[in-house]
Amino acid sequence: MIEEGSKSTKSMVEKRQLFMEMRAQNFDVIRLSTYRTACKLRFVQKRCNLHLVDVWNMIEAFRDNGLSTLDHNAEINVSRLETILSSIFYQLNKRLPTTHQINVEQSIGLLLNFIVATYDSEGHGKLTVFAMKAMLATMCGGKILDKLRYIFSQISDSNGVMVYAKFDQFLREVLKLPTAVFEGPSFGYTEHSVRTCFPQQKKILLNTFLDVLMADPPPQYLVWLPLMHRLANVENVFHPVECSYCRSESMMGFRYRCQQCHGYQLCQSCFWRGHASGPHSNQHQMKEHSSWKSPAKKLSHAISKSLGCMPMGEPPHPVFPEAAERPQDLAHTTQLRPVANNMNDTVLISPGTPTPSKSSTLESPSRLDEEHRLIARYAARLAAEASNSTQCPPTDLSFNFDANKQQRQLIAELENKNREILQEIQRLRLEHEQASQPTPEKAQQNPTLLAELRLLRHRKDELERRMSALQESRRELMVQLEGLMRLLKDEEQKQASQTGSSPHSSPSHSASCTMPMPIRSTSAGSTPTHTPQDCLAGVGDDVLDAFSQGVPRNLRNDLLVAADSITNTMSSLVKELHSVDDGLEDEEEHLRNGREKVSSLKHSGKRQSTPSF
């Protein structure tokens, strides 16, 4: 019991889902019932994906499911209706690309619930074949002309004449659609609906039927039908115009221009909601525009119209033959092509089946008359030129003929020369491309050579950096050696002078007097004094010991030891520099050989690429 209750609740939610979504769109704010009804039905059409099914595909589905042979008043149950809808949407998914596939189950559920709510409000579980055909043919995609032709084939007799009783039945069924979207008070069925559409009792053929239903304006009860198709056509139309009310810089869809207020234009949203500003009023007459034309196009259109270059009085639809056509053989139907007839369903003929001529079915008498007038105008112009040419003297004619012949010959010769020159240019271009293309041997050698050149450059850069570092070290050592030699010389001079003046004084004592030594202290608060050791940073350990010892020692010996150490360091440095120079010479020789090899390859390539004439 709980499961049955949950299923019934789910089915009720699915039935109300489409109407709840439609209410969320807030279409009821549209003040005009015609636009309100068309917008609601267009929403249902798109939500159920019926706009993707063409009317001819719908007719084919009717035929494949055996509905063409059934009587209009025959009843089908909901399960068979679901089967028909399943075949329609599954065939649709086969025609659509994989990136635009639809949710078949959802589309079937939404459309099935909408049809049942529209045509089986009492819950009998059945609906007539004609009601289903009328609803699906009206709500599917395609041109309104094709839909009306199919509907006329359903309500006409074998002679191609409309049956008023069948048209009345069609109005009963199709006007249930506005009622289903809560617009019944404006477009509900009445007993006078047929007489409103066709006020005079007369024989209604296909062309008359199309003239009435596609007129401007159409019958009041069906005025929403052509508007729904116009809505589909202008959904993506862009108008680069500013709305005079909401100040939107562009419009999508319809555009409305006031016939009294200069330059006053409204977008479809503002017009449908009755918005107005400034001197404009909702009582003013508005003109609906479904496309945008630039001022240049408007000017050219007006000029063409004034010069008579455009056909005037074009009917809204092509004129079809009045006589009813015989049924066609459907045994080998391979191509979908509509043919107007009086059968229950418009047939789909194969390419080999004879069809009416294109001039009799697709072109109107006014268009043919316009073509005849243009042909007559051109014929008169040619006749006038011929008469003018016959009035010229014979000598002039022969002279003109000879001059024209010479000009034609000259043009032919120039064209031949131009053709030969182009061929020669093409040949030279091909030869140059072939010569400039590298051979397989070059293709194998070039990568290796380039790699060697890159390695040589890298090695050269490393050696240059190392050379600069060594030179900097040598310069620093020379500066230090020069300072030490100067100190040694000063010390020798002082010792010589002290020896001559005071023979009892010792060198160590004089050295200690002339150059105080730093005294090492372990106390934390002592501060070392400035000594010559500060300028000997980077010198060897022997030199540092000579100046850092706190006890007296022979400074001359220490300096000599330091000089010997520096001399050894310099000799090793000079050897290393000589080895670096030899390496650089080898690398430069290797680089020079590589460059010579590259230049020889380039010269040989140039000699091969030079075209020979």
Side-chain angles (χ1 to χ4, degrees), residues 24 56 99 210 326 338 441 446 471:
W56 303 112
T99 56
L210 296 177
R326 295 181 180 180
E441 297 179 356
N446 287 338
Q471 288 177 354

Side-chain angles (χ1 to χ4, degrees), residues 158-176:
S158 58
N159 296 322
V161 180
M162 187 189 75
V163 179
Y164 276 87
K166 292 184 178 181
F167 180 69
D168 182 73
Q169 185 182 3
F170 166 73
L171 285 181
R172 287 177 184 270
E173 304 299 342
V174 78
L175 290 179
K176 290 180 181 180

Side-chain angles (χ1 to χ4, degrees), residues 230-455:
R230 295 206 307 273
L231 280 174
N233 294 331
V234 302
E235 282 181 348
N236 299 320
V237 175
F238 176 77
H239 305 269
V241 182
E242 182 182 7
C243 178
S244 299
Y245 183 83
C246 65
R247 299 302 176 184
S248 176
E249 296 182 356
S250 60
M251 304 181 189
M252 294 292 293
F254 287 118
R255 175 171 55 92
Y256 297 90
R257 177 186 289 273
C258 181
Q259 301 299 300
Q260 299 182 21
C261 304
H262 178 70
Y264 193 89
Q265 301 188 82
L266 293 175
C267 61
Q268 66 177 20
S269 178
C270 294
F271 175 76
W272 290 353
R273 286 158 176 77
H275 295 160
S277 61
H280 178 72
S281 173
N282 291 330
Q283 305 301 322
H284 292 180
Q285 185 179 0
M286 303 289 287
K287 185 176 182 180
E288 183 181 90
H289 295 274
S290 58
S291 62
W292 164 256
K293 291 182 181 179
S294 62
K297 288 185 178 181
K298 292 180 181 179
L299 180 60
S300 61
H301 181 82
I303 293 174
S304 301
K305 189 174 180 180
S306 62
L307 295 177
C309 300
M310 298 180 61
M312 302 297 292
E314 192 73 16
H317 63 85
V319 179
F320 298 94
E322 300 293 347
E325 298 176 2
R326 295 181 180 180
Q328 305 292 339
D329 184 14
L330 302 179
H332 304 285
T333 301
T334 57
Q335 181 179 357
L336 302 179
R337 191 159 18 150
V339 179
N341 52 36
N342 62 326
M343 296 169 51
N344 288 339
D345 287 311
T346 301
V347 299
L348 306 173
I349 66 174
S350 62
T353 308
T355 57
S357 63
K358 195 176 279 187
S359 61
S360 62
T361 58
L362 299 179
E363 296 189 3
S364 61
S366 61
R367 184 177 300 174
L368 294 176
D369 294 341
E370 183 67 22
E371 292 180 358
H372 289 319
R373 285 195 296 270
L374 290 174
I375 293 172
R377 187 183 305 169
Y378 293 145
R381 184 180 300 173
L382 291 174
E385 292 178 357
S387 62
N388 293 333
S389 63
T390 54
Q391 294 177 3
C392 297
T395 56
D396 295 341
L397 288 176
S398 61
F399 175 76
N400 291 334
F401 179 75
D402 294 338
N404 292 334
K405 186 176 180 180
Q406 293 177 359
Q407 291 176 358
R408 285 196 296 270
Q409 291 177 354
L410 180 60
I411 291 173
E413 293 176 358
L414 292 175
E415 287 180 350
N416 292 330
K417 289 182 179 180
N418 187 26
R419 195 178 299 111
E420 293 176 358
I421 292 173
L422 291 176
Q423 291 176 357
E424 185 67 19
I425 292 173
Q426 185 67 20
R427 184 182 64 81
L428 293 175
R429 187 177 298 167
L430 292 175
E431 291 180 357
H432 179 69
E433 290 178 355
Q434 292 175 359
S436 62
Q437 288 180 355
T439 60
E441 297 179 356
K442 293 180 182 178
Q444 294 176 0
Q445 293 176 0
N446 287 338
T448 305
L449 185 59
L450 291 175
E452 291 180 357
L453 290 175
R454 283 195 293 269
L455 290 175

